[in-house]
Amino acid sequence: MPGNRSTNGYGAVRIFNTMSRKTETLKTLKEGLVKIYCCGPTVYESPHIGNMRTYVWQDIFRRTLELNGYEVLHVRNITDVGHLKSDADTGEDKLQESANRRHSTAWDIARMYTEEFFDYSRMLNIRDPSVSPRATDHINEMLALIKKLDDNGYIYEIRNDGIYYDTSKFKEYGKLTGMNFAQLNNYLIGGARVELSKDKRNITDFALWKFSPVDEKRDMEWDSEYGIGFPGWHIECSAMSMKYLGETIDIHCGGVDHIYIHHPNEIAQSEGATGKKFVNYWMHGEFILVENKKMSKSKGSFYTVADILKKGFGWREIRYLLFSAHYRSQLNFTFRGLESAKASISRMHDIMRRLNGINEPDDNAELKKLRAFVNSHKNEFLKYMNNDIMVPEALRVVFDLISYINKQIEEGRIGKTGSEEAIGAMLFFDSVLGLNLAELMEEDEAPQEVIELLDKRDIARAKRDYALADEIRNTILDKYGFIVEDSKDGQHLKKASR
Ligand SMILES: [Zn+2]
């Protein structure tokens, strides 16, 4: 396999670590294995494209690690309780609030939006994590962790409110932010990121366990030695990360919005309980802009994946646009960007089609030249991906190879072996990009009508119109002789044998 080899035989992957503010070479706890925890979605409404950007870059990163020969143990949780509307641990639980608004229960809301989240992430060809634990399935683990923090002297109770973490007792609280305790407190007060609550000892203190209101039965509540209630959002991640990955993990991922509150809290809980370092590398992805502005519901620039599909774009275009900017830069999501993503995917598809049509014998000297060019581009691509996921540069390498090959084809210099190796390079790139180019080639055999029907079926599924989706599937089989299969990564076509 090409790429820079580190001394232990795995690719030398470099990561910008938020904790050190430096790009560091990944050194895993266990040779050949990477343990990653990514903060997952809060399942109270449809995921928007900004949420999906986060999961797309994490997917690309995981695929890069795997291409380097690593085994990846990837945990991404589902937050289905305890994420309150305000960072100050006040306000209603987002799920409960969504349930009240929709005259449903928090349990039904959680089920519905968890399912929908997986539908969309699979549609965007984001691989399922190794484990997707639900917070509500891990209440005992969270309570056990709170008990440890209790034993270690970190907690206090606010009457009729909940059990809180006294952040002043955790010596290095907030180290992820690059500020000390006093600086961070001032920053949070000054920036009004968190409201001051008169009962909290420090502005940075946060709820580990919230009590149910005395006169109200919540949809989601559990009995505990601290009283009937529900867990705080932060304790969920510490408990689930520890359960599935151990007390210390290699990499923890999330959005930049987690640098100042959620992740410092995770560190305080985990390290306060175990006395061991929680995470070796912290990776944070930037936000998305829509048409150069902050995404906003009131301004009509808030898009879910379904919204974009309904406008006639396919999942590949959405995925492409979402990964096309470096994960630590803001991504400007525009309809022009989707159009240009479409053109880029077409160029990839076209070259594969052209290469696939070549059956001539190879000229040895030409083959040797082509092979050298192809291999150097594979190396270059991996070098960029391994350097803190430099996708824009890696894409330039892909298109440089495509231009070269197009020219070679025009000049009649490529034979069958050469074309196969060039197709191999495209599939090598695609093992990271995840555009399913191989499937595009299979679909080449299907008539255009079928491709259009598949797009319609994608939209039907996005709208949860399963009756229409089934009807389209039957039409494709009866009229065109193709079987449509639904899998983790979307729809697949297979020629029916008859
Ligand atoms: Zn988290």
Side-chain angles (χ1 to χ4, degrees):
M1 192 193 308
N4 301 350
R5 313 307 303 182
S6 64
T7 46
N8 61 11
Y10 296 95
V13 175
R14 288 164 56 74
I15 297 169
F16 181 84
N17 187 354
T18 309
M19 185 65 87
S20 67
R21 264 100 183 142
K22 282 191 191 110
T23 305
E24 299 172 20
T25 301
L26 172 67
K27 200 173 172 329
T28 56
L29 292 158
K30 190 166 172 249
E31 192 171 316
L33 177 71
V34 188
K35 294 182 178 188
I36 304 183
Y37 186 93
C38 300
C39 297
T42 302
V43 285
Y44 70 108
E45 61 178 17
S46 296
H48 56 69
I49 47 171
N51 302 132
M52 298 321 277
R53 182 199 184 188
T54 301
Y55 304 119
V56 166
W57 75 253
Q58 291 167 356
D59 181 61
I60 296 252
F61 177 56
R62 171 182 169 182
R63 288 165 181 264
T64 301
L65 291 169
E66 287 173 348
L67 187 59
N68 280 287
Y70 284 105
E71 186 193 330
V72 179
L73 193 51
H74 173 208
V75 177
R76 189 187 64 208
N77 69 295
I78 298 286
T79 295
D80 54 359
V81 67
H83 197 161
L84 303 186
K85 291 204 68 137
S86 142
D87 278 339
D89 291 325
T90 56
E92 185 56 281
D93 184 315
K94 289 184 180 183
L95 269 103
Q96 187 68 55
E97 200 245 7
S98 172
N100 296 345
R101 200 160 13 102
R102 294 176 166 89
H103 306 290
S104 180
T105 69
W107 291 105
D108 284 338
I109 291 293
R111 200 174 311 123
M112 179 165 104
Y113 287 114
T114 302
E115 223 176 88
E116 194 185 278
F117 173 75
F118 275 103
D119 284 350
Y120 289 134
S121 60
R122 286 168 186 162
M123 195 180 282
L124 293 179
N125 206 14
I126 296 167
R127 280 203 211 143
D128 282 359
S130 324
V131 194
S132 314
R134 264 191 290 262
T136 49
D137 289 335
H138 296 79
I139 303 298
N140 288 340
E141 286 83 349
M142 296 171 204
L143 285 166
L145 197 55
I146 296 171
K147 183 79 184 58
K148 267 194 198 166
L149 292 170
D150 190 358
D151 293 343
N152 294 351
Y154 286 105
I155 75 172
Y156 65 96
E157 179 177 335
I158 298 180
R159 260 174 67 94
N160 298 326
D161 180 341
I163 301 295
Y164 279 75
Y165 190 111
D166 184 343
T167 50
S168 68
K169 300 219 165 124
F170 183 69
K171 185 162 100 282
E172 295 178 295
Y173 184 83
K175 59 186 166 183
L176 186 64
T177 65
M179 292 184 238
N180 68 27
F181 191 71
Q183 288 168 327
L184 181 56
N185 271 257
N186 286 334
Y187 169 79
L188 292 173
I189 295 167
R193 281 289 303 263
V194 176
E195 311 157 33
L196 266 173
S197 142
K198 61 178 173 16
D199 299 314
K200 286 204 302 190
R201 293 179 186 167
N202 310 284
I203 191 172
T204 40
D205 292 358
F206 56 93
L208 297 163
W209 188 256
K210 289 283 282 186
F211 302 140
S212 291
V214 266
D215 49 354
E216 189 188 308
K217 177 144 177 48
R218 289 170 42 89
D219 291 339
M220 292 178 167
E221 59 182 20
W222 294 265
D223 204 359
S224 82
E225 65 175 283
Y226 301 101
I228 295 176
F230 58 99
W233 169 40
H234 317 292
I235 195 76
E236 302 178 358
C237 285
S238 289
M240 291 186 275
S241 178
M242 219 174 273
K243 171 161 183 180
Y244 295 100
L245 299 172
E247 293 178 338
T248 304
I249 70 170
D250 295 300
I251 302 169
H252 193 117
C253 304
V256 284
D257 51 329
H258 292 162
I259 294 176
Y260 289 92
I261 297 170
H262 182 51
H263 287 164
N265 293 351
E266 283 189 36
I267 295 171
Q269 294 165 154
S270 304
E271 301 191 359
T274 67
K276 292 178 192 152
K277 190 177 182 190
F278 175 37
V279 169
N280 283 335
Y281 305 88
W282 287 93
M283 294 175 79
H284 291 100
E286 256 296 347
F287 279 157
I288 204 169
L289 298 172
V290 171
E291 304 289 346
N292 256 318
K293 292 193 189 76
K294 232 181 128 173
M295 194 157 56
S296 127
K297 273 187 185 158
S298 59
K299 293 195 180 100
S301 60
F302 184 93
Y303 293 114
T304 62
V305 177
D307 293 335
I308 309 291
L309 291 170
K310 277 182 230 159
K311 290 184 186 289
F313 293 97
W315 70 265
R316 285 186 179 85
E317 286 122 62
I318 302 173
R319 181 177 169 99
Y320 190 101
L321 182 52
L322 290 179
F323 70 53
S324 61
H326 188 250
Y327 77 102
R328 287 192 288 113
S329 323
Q330 283 193 336
L331 164 71
N332 187 18
F333 193 99
T334 65
F335 287 95
R336 262 183 80 177
L338 281 167
E339 290 295 349
S340 92
K342 193 175 192 164
S344 301
I345 296 162
S346 268
R347 281 186 71 197
M348 293 180 176
H349 188 186
D350 285 347
I351 194 75
M352 294 187 67
R353 211 185 269 143
R354 290 185 86 180
L355 286 163
N356 208 23
I358 295 175
N359 283 304
E360 287 75 36
D362 297 85
D363 172 281
N364 269 339
E366 291 294 348
L367 179 60
K368 227 175 125 186
K369 255 198 290 181
L370 177 79
R371 193 170 276 160
F373 201 84
V374 163
N375 285 337
S376 71
H377 279 64
K378 282 165 80 175
N379 276 325
E380 193 84 340
F381 176 87
L382 192 58
K383 193 184 86 192
Y384 284 125
M385 290 308 298
N386 282 354
N387 192 8
D388 198 34
I389 342 179
M390 292 169 75
V391 177
E393 290 77 5
L395 286 174
R396 273 211 296 279
V397 173
V398 173
F399 288 105
D400 188 55
L401 181 64
I402 290 176
S403 304
Y404 176 82
I405 290 173
N406 266 324
K407 195 156 172 285
Q408 297 297 299
I409 295 175
E410 274 150 33
E411 292 168 4
R413 296 174 196 269
I414 298 188
K416 184 147 183 65
T417 310
S419 76
E420 281 166 3
E421 290 184 17
I423 288 174
M426 293 302 294
L427 296 177
F428 173 86
F429 303 143
D430 198 37
S431 66
V432 168
L433 302 177
L435 295 167
N436 263 350
L437 297 176
E439 190 187 300
L440 272 182
M441 285 173 73
E442 272 169 41
E443 287 175 7
D444 280 345
E445 293 178 23
Q448 186 54 32
E449 292 91 323
V450 172
I451 304 302
E452 282 163 16
L453 283 170
L454 281 180
D455 287 343
K456 284 204 181 108
R457 192 165 174 272
D458 242 347
I459 297 167
R461 292 206 307 160
K463 289 184 187 158
R464 319 197 131 240
D465 185 348
Y466 296 114
L468 179 60
D470 287 347
E471 194 189 310
I472 296 173
R473 186 212 301 259
N474 292 337
T475 309
I476 293 175
L477 179 63
D478 297 342
K479 205 164 159 205
Y480 301 96
F482 282 91
I483 299 165
V484 183
E485 287 177 339
D486 295 317
S487 79
K488 278 187 189 175
D489 49 13
Q491 308 181 75
H492 295 266
L493 271 188
K494 236 173 70 182
K495 199 129 185 75
S497 48
R498 54 173 159 178

CSV table of all heavy atoms in Angstrom, one decimal, residues 37 39 77 233 237 252 262-263 266, ligand 1:
chain,number,residue,atom,x,y,z
A,37,TYR,N,-14.3,8.2,19.9
A,37,TYR,CA,-15.6,8.5,20.4
A,37,TYR,C,-16.1,9.8,19.8
A,37,TYR,O,-15.3,10.8,19.8
A,37,TYR,CB,-15.7,8.7,21.9
A,37,TYR,CG,-17.1,8.9,22.5
A,37,TYR,CD1,-17.8,7.8,22.9
A,37,TYR,CD2,-17.7,10.2,22.5
A,37,TYR,CE1,-19.1,8.0,23.4
A,37,TYR,CE2,-19.0,10.3,23.0
A,37,TYR,CZ,-19.7,9.2,23.4
A,37,TYR,OH,-21.0,9.4,23.9
A,39,CYS,N,-19.3,12.6,19.6
A,39,CYS,CA,-20.6,13.0,20.2
A,39,CYS,C,-21.6,12.9,19.1
A,39,CYS,O,-21.5,13.5,18.1
A,39,CYS,CB,-20.5,14.4,20.8
A,39,CYS,SG,-19.3,14.6,22.1
A,77,ASN,N,-22.6,8.1,20.0
A,77,ASN,CA,-23.8,7.9,20.9
A,77,ASN,C,-25.1,8.5,20.3
A,77,ASN,O,-25.0,9.4,19.3
A,77,ASN,CB,-23.6,8.5,22.3
A,77,ASN,CG,-23.6,10.0,22.2
A,77,ASN,OD1,-22.7,10.6,21.6
A,77,ASN,ND2,-24.6,10.6,22.8
A,233,TRP,N,-26.7,16.0,30.2
A,233,TRP,CA,-26.2,15.6,28.9
A,233,TRP,C,-24.7,15.1,28.9
A,233,TRP,O,-24.3,14.2,28.3
A,233,TRP,CB,-26.4,16.8,27.9
A,233,TRP,CG,-25.7,16.7,26.6
A,233,TRP,CD1,-25.6,15.6,25.8
A,233,TRP,CD2,-25.0,17.8,25.9
A,233,TRP,NE1,-24.9,15.9,24.6
A,233,TRP,CE2,-24.6,17.2,24.7
A,233,TRP,CE3,-24.8,19.1,26.2
A,233,TRP,CZ2,-23.9,18.0,23.7
A,233,TRP,CZ3,-24.1,19.9,25.2
A,233,TRP,CH2,-23.7,19.3,24.0
A,237,CYS,N,-21.9,11.1,27.7
A,237,CYS,CA,-20.8,10.8,26.9
A,237,CYS,C,-19.6,10.2,27.7
A,237,CYS,O,-19.0,9.2,27.2
A,237,CYS,CB,-20.3,12.1,26.2
A,237,CYS,SG,-21.4,12.6,24.8
A,252,HIS,N,-11.2,11.9,20.4
A,252,HIS,CA,-12.6,12.3,20.7
A,252,HIS,C,-12.9,13.4,19.7
A,252,HIS,O,-12.2,14.4,19.6
A,252,HIS,CB,-12.7,12.8,22.1
A,252,HIS,CG,-14.1,12.9,22.6
A,252,HIS,ND1,-14.6,12.2,23.6
A,252,HIS,CD2,-15.1,13.7,22.2
A,252,HIS,CE1,-15.9,12.5,23.9
A,252,HIS,NE2,-16.2,13.5,23.0
A,262,HIS,N,-19.2,21.5,26.7
A,262,HIS,CA,-19.5,20.1,26.8
A,262,HIS,C,-18.2,19.2,27.0
A,262,HIS,O,-18.1,18.4,27.8
A,262,HIS,CB,-20.2,19.6,25.5
A,262,HIS,CG,-20.6,18.2,25.4
A,262,HIS,ND1,-21.3,17.6,26.5
A,262,HIS,CD2,-20.4,17.2,24.5
A,262,HIS,CE1,-21.4,16.3,26.1
A,262,HIS,NE2,-20.9,16.1,25.0
A,263,HIS,N,-17.2,19.5,26.2
A,263,HIS,CA,-16.0,18.7,26.3
A,263,HIS,C,-15.2,19.0,27.6
A,263,HIS,O,-14.7,18.0,28.2
A,263,HIS,CB,-15.1,18.8,25.0
A,263,HIS,CG,-15.8,18.1,23.9
A,263,HIS,ND1,-15.5,18.2,22.6
A,263,HIS,CD2,-16.8,17.1,23.9
A,263,HIS,CE1,-16.2,17.5,21.8
A,263,HIS,NE2,-17.0,16.8,22.6
A,266,GLU,N,-16.9,16.8,30.0
A,266,GLU,CA,-16.6,15.4,29.8
A,266,GLU,C,-15.3,15.1,30.5
A,266,GLU,O,-15.1,14.1,31.1
A,266,GLU,CB,-16.6,15.0,28.4
A,266,GLU,CG,-18.0,14.9,27.7
A,266,GLU,CD,-17.8,14.3,26.3
A,266,GLU,OE1,-17.0,13.4,26.1
A,266,GLU,OE2,-18.6,14.7,25.4
B,1,ZN,ZN,-20.3,14.3,24.0
